Amino acid sequence: MPMQRPAIPDFVLYGEKLDDDAAEFAHIEAIATRSALYDWEINAHRHLRSVQALLLFHGQVQFRCDDLVRELRAPCFMIVPIGSVHGFSFTPESSGYVLTLSAGFTSRAAGSDDPLLRLLTQGTCGKIPEANIRRVTLLCEEMIDCQADWRAPQPLFLALAEALVRSLPAPAQAESADEERLAAFRRLIETDLREHHNLDWYAARLNITAKTLTRICRRRLDCTPMELIHMRLLLEARRLLRFTNAGVAQVAEELGFADSSYFSRFYARHMGRRPAHDRQLQAADDPHAPVP
C-alpha cells in the first residue's frame, strides 16, 4: 500500500486559518511579530488564497520558494505567488514587514502586460532598489498606522499596498520553463476568468498540451488546472457576495455563468452551502442590501 504524502500546511497568515466568508483581506505586520515566536524559522507552507510580499530592512534570510533557495541580505524583498510552497530562516532580530494580500488584489493590474501582474503571479526576490528604500519603508509604516479590520481592507490601505508593490522591480522572465508557463497561466486566469474557457484553450495559448499543463500544476501546486481556476472563481464569488449588494443572479452574470442555478450548484458543490446563504449573511450586516 503506497504511503500517503503528508499534506502541505495551508495558511492565510502563518499558523492561522481564516473563515471562508472572508473573501477579500489585506494584512501587514512586522516580521518579528510571528517569526520570533518560532525562533525565526518559518517552515514550509503555502497560501492558496493570497500572495505575500516580505520586506526585510535589517538582517539576513534564507528564502525557500518551490525549487528556489536564496540567501538574501537586507534591504531585500520577496514576493510569494499564490500556491507556492515557501519558508524562511531569518537571523535573530531581523526586522521588516510581511504584507499579505488576497488573490483579488491582482485585479488592480491594468492588463496582462502590467508589471504588477507579473510580480504577483510569477513572484521574485532581490534587493530593494536603493532609490526606493525610503519610500517602501514609509509605505509600510503608513499601512501599519492605518490598518483597521484586515478582513475588510479600506481603499487607502489597498492603494498604499499597490504603491509599495509597484516600487519593487518586476521579474523580466521566469527562471524555468515550468515557472514561466505557470505564471502565464495565472495571468490568463486573471484576465479571462469570466470567459469559462476549457483546458485546451488555456493550453493552446501557452503552446503546450493540456496534459503538460496538468503535469505542471500538479507538480508545482498539487492541484489540477481546473481546480486552480475554480478556486479563483469561488474567491471572486465570495468577494462579490460579501462586499457588494449584488444578488446571486447578478453575481452569476458578473462571473460569466449563463445560468444562475448552475452557478448556485457550482458554488454549493465546492463550498458546501448555497450562495444565497452567504448573500443573506451579508444582508444581515447591511439592512439596506436587497434580499436575493
Side-chain angles (χ1 to χ4, degrees):
M1 186 174 180
M3 292 181 62
Q4 186 174 6
R5 183 171 49 179
I8 300 167
D10 166 32
F11 300 121
V12 173
L13 304 176
Y14 186 71
E16 293 185 33
K17 300 284 187 175
L18 184 63
D19 192 309
D20 279 337
D21 292 338
E24 184 172 16
F25 49 86
H27 177 271
I28 190 170
E29 69 181 16
I31 286 173
T33 300
R34 207 165 297 258
S35 299
L37 299 176
Y38 296 94
D39 295 325
W40 302 95
E41 179 76 26
I42 301 298
N43 293 328
H45 64 287
R46 61 182 175 180
H47 309 286
L48 293 178
R49 298 173 51 190
S50 59
V51 59
Q52 279 194 331
L54 289 93
L55 299 310
L56 187 68
F57 298 127
H58 301 284
Q60 292 179 247
V61 61
Q62 183 189 75
F63 172 50
R64 306 175 297 278
C65 187
D66 295 327
D67 296 330
L68 175 73
V69 179
R70 289 284 187 274
E71 300 283 347
L72 300 170
R73 184 186 298 272
C76 61
F77 74 97
M78 295 141 274
I79 302 288
V80 181
I82 298 168
S84 290
V85 180
H86 61 286
F88 308 93
S89 297
F90 296 99
T91 55
E93 310 310 321
S94 291
S95 65
Y97 295 94
V98 183
L99 176 64
T100 302
L101 302 161
S102 58
F105 187 82
T106 56
S107 64
R108 300 181 76 89
S112 59
D113 294 330
D114 192 331
L116 179 72
L117 189 60
R118 191 163 68 250
L119 254 174
L120 298 174
T121 58
Q122 184 172 315
T124 188
C125 63
K127 302 293 287 185
I128 300 174
E130 187 174 348
N132 294 353
I133 292 174
R134 185 171 180 273
R135 179 196 308 161
V136 169
T137 303
L138 291 174
L139 287 167
C140 288
E141 293 171 349
E142 186 65 25
M143 281 189 286
I144 287 285
D145 288 342
C146 75
Q147 181 168 240
D149 182 0
W150 65 276
R151 292 169 179 82
Q154 299 302 305
L156 174 60
F157 187 99
L158 295 175
L160 293 169
E162 180 179 348
L164 188 153
V165 176
R166 289 190 181 280
S167 300
L168 304 173
Q173 60 183 14
E175 294 195 6
S176 74
D178 279 1
E179 287 174 358
E180 186 173 358
R181 288 163 176 163
L182 183 56
F185 179 46
R186 282 170 160 153
R187 289 195 292 272
L188 284 173
I189 291 174
E190 293 300 326
T191 55
D192 284 84
L193 182 67
R194 293 161 176 80
E195 302 303 320
H196 296 257
H197 299 300
N198 61 30
L199 190 55
D200 288 332
W201 185 92
Y202 285 102
R205 274 142 189 83
L206 298 171
N207 293 316
I208 57 177
T209 65
K211 183 177 180 180
T212 297
L213 180 56
T214 299
R215 174 185 57 78
I216 292 170
C217 287
R218 284 197 178 279
R219 186 167 67 186
R220 294 283 176 174
L221 302 178
D222 197 26
C223 68
T224 68
M226 293 311 298
E227 285 172 340
L228 192 64
I229 294 169
H230 289 166
M231 282 190 289
R232 184 64 183 91
L233 270 171
L234 289 164
L235 179 66
E236 196 65 21
R238 295 197 304 271
R239 189 183 185 196
L240 292 169
L241 290 167
R242 175 166 180 177
F243 294 106
T244 74
N245 289 329
V248 172
Q250 291 171 296
V251 172
E253 182 179 0
E254 172 66 19
L255 294 180
F257 287 86
D259 182 85
S260 61
S261 61
Y262 173 70
F263 165 67
S264 293
R265 292 194 299 273
F266 167 81
Y267 193 94
R269 184 169 68 251
H270 291 280
M271 298 298 299
R273 58 184 183 271
R274 294 278 178 177
H277 175 269
D278 288 353
R279 183 67 192 86
Q280 286 164 356
L281 289 178
Q282 195 277 347
D285 293 334
D286 180 3
H288 302 292
V291 177

